[in-house]
Structures are given as structure tokens and as C-alpha cells.
């Protein structure tokens, strides 16, 4: 396992280094003369002094998991040479990048107080790295040996390995049930929102604080969630490692002026002590020694035992799903991507993994607002985040050009395999031996045509994406308001053989609101909000199937991206409204009979099957799956949406 120790910082003395002395000297001169760095001049209170990065506390991590033909010294040389090259000739010049420059390194016995984390009980660290710049984060990651530097095609990118957890651990997520509180009365308690007691949380919290009080340094990020100031939340993260601060710096909204975080009082704080575990998990009635626990009333959360970056992001998203509907007037949080046209017409794309949400919202003719989490309030839609978190499995420039090109300096890869090419380590997105959930986080400005305001007007069109592996649903259908609520609550897609262990045939996957794992309130609460928005603003909802046509998975073929893109274009440019529609006899939605660029037979799935009777049987089977899943939502919410579902034939 890799340890970060005082003897391994990048700028060590020349003694014992031999042939690397000249290289180290050059690096030292570059660092202290031109560029912001943890080794150069840093702000300490109102004074400035020379600061050297503190890596004296030894910690074990999973970040040494990369196999490499190079020995450690060879890798160190390679990283150092790359580091110097980056500083001297390849440093990114970006107004967006440079706008984030509120870094502060605070040292001394009062460091925690000056950083504002003493109120949490954290008083031990004597060095606090607060809101490091992108360059400083890279400096720290390299100096601490927290991972590897990959030579990606569009720029060298830092890569980390998160150990055994390469995704969220939903069975280890807990929310404190504070009896009689607002959250107690409103949360949808169950498998998603598992309750724990205040007493258990207090013990976990004390362990987290005690862990940080033994450390000499900590990384603190103060930022924001939600681009609209009217509902924006102030969030604070306390981390053990530089790459973790890098992750939240990429993903959350970054302050652009120091005054924005002066006297910062967060609405919520996450203390991430990932290197620690809960040895008392059995006594605490938890599922394992890993714990991600939230106390809404105390405005804090603690993370134990998992290094996965997504726990930070999705934790705050779950809280936004609680906070926004509780506002007056209630606001609508959404697990969706969003873009906007040149005339200000915004569109939303809901969809589970594998449905094409990221691909289809990336449109060369429209600006990207965001790729995952948004809100819809009285002013319109807005991004929650300051970056994107995309899967990298089988990634290529041809299939996902925006994501592929966004992987450059300041992006960060997680759990992506590396392979040697011409004495360099390059990402191998087709090697999923570690995990199929390899990820990249990057700031939103890595997308060339991103929408800089991160807000837009009320959406004209709402698109529900599904990957129907049964080959039943049409490539596009228009939904009534009631049908939109039904399909929104259903959140249907399908898993196919090979996507998960044990899946040998198409399996339905219903995830309420297209993100059940993050919904803190009952799904009908969000459906009611969507209904109000549609009625108030006249938005139109569509169901788009990116799955199979001509038969189920294994017999038919995947809907072509050309046909799917033509359907999306017709929705966004309004040409679909000039089509003739026919009502589907089972599902009841309206299906266009012709669209430019799409074979008319494809628009009517039954026409693409060689055996129409087999199609009818498959449609009936899928309809029954819908109705069975929806039984738990009957007679809930402001209206019983069951009536808007498919009508299953009696024979």
C-alpha cells in the first residue's frame, strides 16, 4: 500500500537523488518563481510566508493499486518530468480556470479556527489547505503520491484508485431519525432512506472528529450547490487528501472571489474520514464498517470506510431533493441533464444509466447547462453543480467526443485502467478489469459549448429516456400531462445480459423519478411538483426509447443513434408537432406516424417485428410489469396516477 510520508514530497533535497538533482532544482525554481504552488508563497491569515506542504502523517490508501511495468523510481522520474513540462510549457491558459483563485493555506495553532472548522470540534490540524487552485491541487496530488498521472490525448490527467468501493454503497447510507423533527415527518423512510438513531450518529461524529484531531493537516473546500442564488446552498467538505478536494472542486460551484467565502457559514458540512471504519458497526446496527450518515437537523454528515468520490456528490444531491420541495413556494429538484438553444428554449433529459442521457443532451447546436442534477424554480431551470461526472467505459472520441475531449489537465479519472504506451501511461477505457464504473470528473468549462450562466428559462420540452430491451416501446411518443406523471414515477428502463452479474435476459428496472436512490421524499411529492410545473408553463413531455427495435434483445437490434437523434431534433425544433399521431392501443400515448429522417416502420414497433403476435404478447408482458410496479404508488399524492398507465388486455 502506498504511504504518504515526509520523505516523499516532490521537492526533496538533492542528497541521494543522483542524476535527478538538476531536474529537482529546475522544478524548485519553477515552483517558487512563477506558479501558485503549495511550496511557494501562501496566505496565512493576513501575512504571507513560505510554506512547505505537510505530508508527515502516514496514511494507507488504495491509491497504489495500479499495476505498472515501471518500478517506483522510474514512475517518479516520469511524473517529475511530466510535472516540469506542464509547469514550463503546457500549463493550461483558461479564464475559467484562472477565475478560481481563492486559495488559502493556513498554518499555526489557530489554523482550524481561522478556517472555521473549530465549530465542528476539529482543532487538531495545524495546517489547513482551503480551496486550493487547480494547479495547487495537482501539485499536492503529485507530491503526496495519491495516484498516477495519465497521458490522456488532450492533456495529462491525474488518476486515482478508490479501492474496493468503485461505486456508491447504498446499503451503508443512513439518515438520522430525529423524532418529532421536520425531516422525521417528511422523509420517505425505507430501504433508500434508512433510519439510524441520534445516539449512533453522535458516536460516529465523535469518531470522525477524533480522527481529524490526530492529523497534522486537512483539506477544506467551501463552495455552493445550485446556480440560482435564490435557492443556492453553502456546502463545506473536510477531507483527508488533496484528490478528494479536487473532486468536489470539479463537481460543485466554485467561489470566484474570496469575499464569497469570507465568514463562511455552511448550510451543510460533510466530514469525510474515508481512511477510518466503524469498528462498532454491529453495536450500531449498521450493515458494515462503512457508513455514510446524515443528520439533517445538525447540518452535518460523516463518511467512513469508502474512498469513492461520488458519495460526496450524491450526498448533497439527496439533501437538495429534501430542501427544495420544502421551500415556499416548493421547488422541483431533478435527476436529469439539461441544455438550451440559441433562442433560450431549454430542454430536460431524464434517464437512468445506459439510456443515452449524457450523449443526447450534448448537442453541437445547443449549449449544455449540466449533465446530471438540476432544479426548477420560479425563474426556470438551473444546474446544481459546477462540473460533470461521466462514465468512461468504452469511451472513445467517436462515440462521446465532448467527454473524451474534456479529459485533460484539471479533470480527474477514477478507477480507470492505465497501460504503457511509448514509456507513458495512457488511459485504457476498454479495460474494465477493475470496474465497469470507471469515471471522470471535470469542471463544466471543459465542455466547449457550456452555458455559462448555468441557468435558463422554463423548459419547453421534457424528454424521458428509456432503454427498452423488450423491443416494445416506440422510438418516440408524446405524453399527456397525466401520462408524464405516470412515466416519471415509473422511471423505467431495462437491464440486459452482461450488464450485471446474474442477468441472463432482459430485466425491467424501475427507478422512481429516474433516480430513486437519491429521493428523500415520497416519489409522488416530486410528481406533484412536475405536474404543477407542466401545467403552469405548458411544457410538453415525450418518452424516447433508445433500446431495441424489431424484436427483444438478442433478436432485434439497438435503435440507431441516427434515428434517436432525429427524434430528439424533431422534438427540439418543433417539427414533431406537424406530424400525424396515432394512439398506442396498450400504453395510450400518442405515436407519430412520420418524422423526417426516420423510417415510418420504425416509428411503429409492431411493424418491425417479423411476428406481430409475438409483439402483442411482449407488449402485454411489459404493460403488466408497469402496472405491478405502480401498485405501491396507488392512491398516493395529490392524484392517483394509476389511471394514466397502460391498459392491459384481458386476453
Amino acid at each position: 500500500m502506498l504511504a504518504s510520508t515526509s520523505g516523499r514530497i516532490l521537492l526533496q533535497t538533492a542528497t541521494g537523488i543522483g542524476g535527478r538533482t538538476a531536474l529537482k532544482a529546475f522544478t524548485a525554481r519553477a515552483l517558487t518563481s512563477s506558479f501558485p504552488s503549495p511550496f511557494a508563497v501562501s496566505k496565512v491569515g493576513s501575512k504571507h510566508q513560505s510554506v512547505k506542504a505537510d505530508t508527515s502523517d502516514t496514511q494507507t490508501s488504495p491509491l497504489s493499486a495500479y499495476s505498472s511495468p515501471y518500478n517506483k523510481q522510474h514512475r517518479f522520474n516520469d511524473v517529475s518530468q511530466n510535472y516540469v513540462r506542464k509547469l514550463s510549457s503546457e500549463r493550461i491558459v483558461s479564464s475559467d480556470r484562472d477565475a478560481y483563485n481563492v486559495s488559502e493555506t493556513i498554518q499555526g495553532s489557530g489554523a482550524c479556527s481561522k478556517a472555521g472548522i473549530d465549530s465542528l470540534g476539529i482543532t487538531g490540524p495545524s495546517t489547513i489547505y482551503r480551496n486550493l487552485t487547480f494547479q495547487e491541487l495537482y501539485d499536492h496530488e503529485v507530491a503526496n503520491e495519491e495516484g498516477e498521472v495519465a497521458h490522456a490525448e488532450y492533456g495529462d490527467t491525474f488518476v486515482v484508485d478508490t479501492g474496493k468501493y468503485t461505486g456508491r454503497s447504498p446499503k451503508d447510507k443512513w439518515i438520522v431519525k430525529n423524532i418529532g423533527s421536520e425531516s422525521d415527518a417528511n422523509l420517505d423512510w425505507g430501504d433508500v432512506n434508512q433510519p439510524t438513531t441520534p445516539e449512533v450518529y453522535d458516536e460516529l461524529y465523535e469518531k470522525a472528529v477524533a480522527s481529524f484531531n490526530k492529523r497534522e493537516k486537512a483539506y477544506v473546500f467551501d463552495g455552493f450547490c445550485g446556480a440560482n442564488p435564490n435557492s443556492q446552498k453553502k456546502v463545506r467538505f473536510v477531507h483527508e487528501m488533496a484528490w478528494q478536494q479536487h473532486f468536489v472542486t470539479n463537481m460543485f460551484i466554485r467561489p470566484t472571489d474570496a469575499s464569497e467565502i469570507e465568514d463562511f457559514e455552511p448550510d451543510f458540512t460533510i466530514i469525510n474520514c474515508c481512511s477510518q471504519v466503524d469498528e462498532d458497526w454491529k453495536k450500531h446496527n449498521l450493515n458494515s464498517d462503512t457508513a455514510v450518515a446524515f443528520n439533517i437537523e445538525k447540518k452535518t454528515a460523516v463518511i467512513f470506510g469508502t474512498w469513492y468520490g461520488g458519495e460526496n456528490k450524491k450526498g448533497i444531491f439527496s439533501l437538495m431533493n429534501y430542501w427544495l420541495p420544502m421551500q415556499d413556494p416548493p421547488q422541483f429538484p431533478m435527476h436529469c441533464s439539461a441544455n438550451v438553444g440559441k433562442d433560450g428554449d431549454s430542454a430536460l433529459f431524464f434517464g437512468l444509466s445506459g439510456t443515452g442521457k449524457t450523449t443526447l443532451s450534448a448537442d453541437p447546436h445547443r449549449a449544455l447547462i449540466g449533465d446530471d442534477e438540476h432544479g426548477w424554480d420560479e425563474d426556470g431551470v438551473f444546474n446544481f453543480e459546477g462540473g460533470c461526472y461521466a462514465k468512461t467505459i468504452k469511451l472513445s472520441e467517436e462515440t462521446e467526443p465532448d467527454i473524451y475531449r474534456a479529459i485533460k489537465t484539471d479533470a480527474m479519472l477514477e478507477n480507470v485502467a492505465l497501460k504503457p504506451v511509448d514509456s507513458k501511461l495512457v488511459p485504457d477505457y476498454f479495460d474494465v478489469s477493475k470496474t465497469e464504473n470507471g469515471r471522470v470528473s471535470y469542471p463544466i468549462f471543459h465542455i466547449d459549448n457550456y452555458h455559462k450562466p448555468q441557468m435558463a428559462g422554463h423548459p419547453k420540452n421534457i424528454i424521458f429516456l428509456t432503454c427498452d430491451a423488450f423491443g416494445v416501446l416506440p422510438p418516440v411518443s408524446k405524453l399527456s400531462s397525466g401520462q408524464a406523471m405516470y412515466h416519471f414515477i415509473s422511471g423505467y428502463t431495462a437491464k440486459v445480459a452482461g450488464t450485471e452479474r446474474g442477468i441472463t435476459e432482459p430485466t425491467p428496472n424501475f427507478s422512481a423519478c429516474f433516480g430513486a436512490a437519491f429521493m428523500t421524499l415520497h416519489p409522488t411529492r416530486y410528481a406533484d411538483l412536475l405536474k404543477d410545473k407542466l401545467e403552469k408553463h405548458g411544457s410538453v413531455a415525450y418518452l424516447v426509447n433508445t433500446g431495441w427495435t424489431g424484436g427483444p434483445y438478442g433478436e432485434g437490434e439497438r435503435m440507431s443513434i441516427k434515428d434517436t437523434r432525429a427524434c430528439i431534433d424533431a422534438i427540439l425544433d418543433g417539427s414533431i408537432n406537424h406530424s400525424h399521431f396515432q394512439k398506442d392501443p396498450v400504453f395510450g400515448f400518442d405515436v407519430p406516424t412520420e418524422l423526417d429522417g426516420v423510417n415510418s416502420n420504425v416509428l411503429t414497433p409492431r411493424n418491425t417485428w417479423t411476428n406481430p403476435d409475438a409483439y402483442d404478447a411482449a407488449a402485454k408482458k411489459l404493460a403488466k410489469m408497469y402496472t405491478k410496479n405502480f401498485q405501491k404508488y396507488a392512491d398516493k399524492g395529490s392524484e392517483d396516477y394509476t389511471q394514466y398507465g397502460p391498459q392491459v388486455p384481458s386476453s
Side-chain angles (χ1 to χ4, degrees), residues 256-447:
T256 57
D257 189 276
S259 62
E260 295 180 56
I261 54 173
E262 193 173 329
D263 299 321
F264 192 78
E265 294 186 9
D267 295 301
F268 205 86
T269 298
I270 291 182
I271 302 173
N272 190 328
C273 49
C274 58
S275 67
Q276 306 300 305
V277 295
D278 179 22
E279 300 92 344
D280 300 317
W281 64 275
K282 290 183 179 179
K283 183 188 81 171
H284 292 154
N285 291 317
L286 305 183
N287 289 322
S288 75
D289 60 5
T290 295
V292 182
F294 297 81
N295 192 322
I296 293 177
E297 275 67 39
K298 288 192 173 181
K299 301 180 180 180
T300 57
V302 292
I303 297 176
F304 285 86
T306 172
W307 304 74
Y308 182 63
E311 295 287 9
N312 301 275
K313 161 189 159 75
K314 290 303 186 182
I316 296 297
F317 178 43
S318 296
L319 291 169
M320 292 294 278
N321 288 334
Y322 172 79
W323 287 324
L324 264 62
M326 302 296 291
Q327 291 189 188
D328 185 17
Q331 309 302 340
F332 181 32
M334 305 172 292
H335 186 213
C336 69
S337 59
N339 64 24
V340 61
K342 63 181 185 301
D343 296 325
D345 54 309
S346 63
L348 306 178
F349 298 77
F350 291 83
L352 299 174
S353 179
T355 59
K357 178 174 57 130
T358 300
T359 301
L360 294 171
S361 60
D363 189 322
H365 306 295
R366 298 172 65 84
L368 181 70
I369 300 173
D371 79 327
D372 195 42
E373 300 167 4
H374 294 80
W376 187 353
D377 61 13
E378 302 307 297
D379 300 319
V381 298
F382 59 93
N383 196 357
F384 283 173
E385 304 179 291
C388 303
Y389 193 39
K391 285 189 174 183
T392 58
I393 182 173
K394 298 181 181 179
L395 178 66
S396 70
E397 189 166 17
E398 180 181 0
T399 58
E400 300 276 10
D402 288 334
I403 297 174
Y404 188 87
R405 295 166 190 162
I407 300 176
K408 54 189 175 184
T409 304
D410 299 338
M412 187 174 67
L413 291 164
E414 287 183 36
N415 303 313
V416 172
L418 301 176
K419 62 182 180 182
V421 176
D422 297 330
S423 300
K424 296 179 180 180
L425 295 176
V426 301
D428 185 353
Y429 305 120
F430 290 81
D431 180 350
V432 294
S433 55
K434 169 71 177 181
T435 178
E436 292 187 354
N437 194 40
R439 293 272 182 168
V440 60
S441 66
Y442 50 87
I444 189 72
F445 58 76
H446 277 203
I447 300 295

Side-chain angles (χ1 to χ4, degrees), residues 566 569-579 594-596:
D569 289 345
I571 293 170
L572 298 180
D573 66 22
S575 61
I576 195 172
N577 297 317
H578 305 303
S579 301
E594 72 281 331
L595 279 181
D596 286 345

Side-chain angles (χ1 to χ4, degrees), residues 100-119:
Y100 180 57
N101 188 20
V102 297
S103 170
E104 189 175 15
T105 294
I106 310 171
Q107 289 190 316
S109 58
C112 292
S113 175
K114 292 177 183 177
I117 62 173
D118 60 324
S119 61

Side-chain angles (χ1 to χ4, degrees), residues 120-123 197-214 271 273 276-280 283-284 293 295 298 300-304:
L120 300 170
I122 299 176
T123 57
T197 67
E199 292 76 18
V200 167
Y201 181 81
D202 288 345
E203 288 190 29
L204 291 174
Y205 185 89
E206 289 173 5
K207 288 187 178 196
V209 169
S211 172
F212 270 95
N213 281 338
K214 295 175 183 177
I271 302 173
C273 49
Q276 306 300 305
V277 295
D278 179 22
E279 300 92 344
D280 300 317
K283 183 188 81 171
H284 292 154
N295 192 322
K298 288 192 173 181
T300 57
V302 292
I303 297 176
F304 285 86

Side-chain angles (χ1 to χ4, degrees), residues 73-238:
Q73 180 170 317
H74 192 158
R75 290 201 311 273
F76 185 69
N77 277 336
D78 185 56
V79 168
S80 300
Q81 291 162 359
N82 166 72
Y83 186 60
V84 173
R85 183 176 67 254
K86 188 172 295 298
L87 288 173
S88 61
S89 63
E90 295 183 5
R91 186 168 181 266
I92 287 179
V93 178
S94 165
S95 59
D96 290 295
R97 182 189 201 249
D98 294 340
Y100 180 57
N101 188 20
V102 297
S103 170
E104 189 175 15
T105 294
I106 310 171
Q107 289 190 316
S109 58
C112 292
S113 175
K114 292 177 183 177
I117 62 173
D118 60 324
S119 61
L120 300 170
I122 299 176
T123 57
S126 58
T127 300
I128 303 296
Y129 300 115
R130 186 186 186 208
N131 289 75
L132 296 183
T133 66
F134 284 109
Q135 186 63 46
E136 288 173 324
L137 288 168
Y138 180 86
D139 293 348
H140 277 247
E141 290 163 339
V142 171
N144 297 343
E145 291 191 322
E146 294 180 2
E148 298 276 10
V149 176
H151 296 263
E153 185 171 349
Y154 285 87
D156 291 351
T157 306
F158 204 75
V159 191
V160 297
D161 186 300
T162 64
K164 68 177 182 179
Y165 289 104
T166 59
R168 291 178 302 102
S169 185
K171 295 296 184 182
D172 294 309
K173 175 186 171 185
W174 306 89
I175 302 178
V176 176
K177 189 175 179 66
N178 291 309
I179 303 299
S181 66
E182 182 183 68
S183 65
D184 180 30
N186 286 279
L187 283 175
D188 184 27
W189 298 105
D191 291 340
V192 172
N193 302 299
Q194 300 179 112
T196 189
T197 67
E199 292 76 18
V200 167
Y201 181 81
D202 288 345
E203 288 190 29
L204 291 174
Y205 185 89
E206 289 173 5
K207 288 187 178 196
V209 169
S211 172
F212 270 95
N213 281 338
K214 295 175 183 177
R215 305 182 69 84
E216 296 183 10
K217 66 178 181 180
Y219 292 87
V220 175
F221 173 82
D222 291 334
F224 308 93
C225 185
N228 191 327
N230 293 331
S231 53
Q232 187 177 78
K233 297 295 181 181
K234 298 178 180 178
V235 292
R236 168 171 286 166
F237 294 89
V238 183

Side-chain angles (χ1 to χ4, degrees), residues 510-554:
F510 294 97
S511 182
C513 311
F514 296 95
F518 320 115
M519 300 301 147
T520 43
L521 308 181
H522 193 275
T524 56
R525 294 275 294 271
Y526 303 108
D528 289 344
L529 289 171
L530 176 58
K531 177 186 176 184
D532 292 342
K533 295 294 186 185
L534 293 182
E535 292 176 350
K536 185 174 182 179
H537 303 292
S539 308
V540 180
Y542 296 86
L543 183 66
V544 172
N545 175 25
T546 64
W548 271 256
T549 183
Y553 171 82

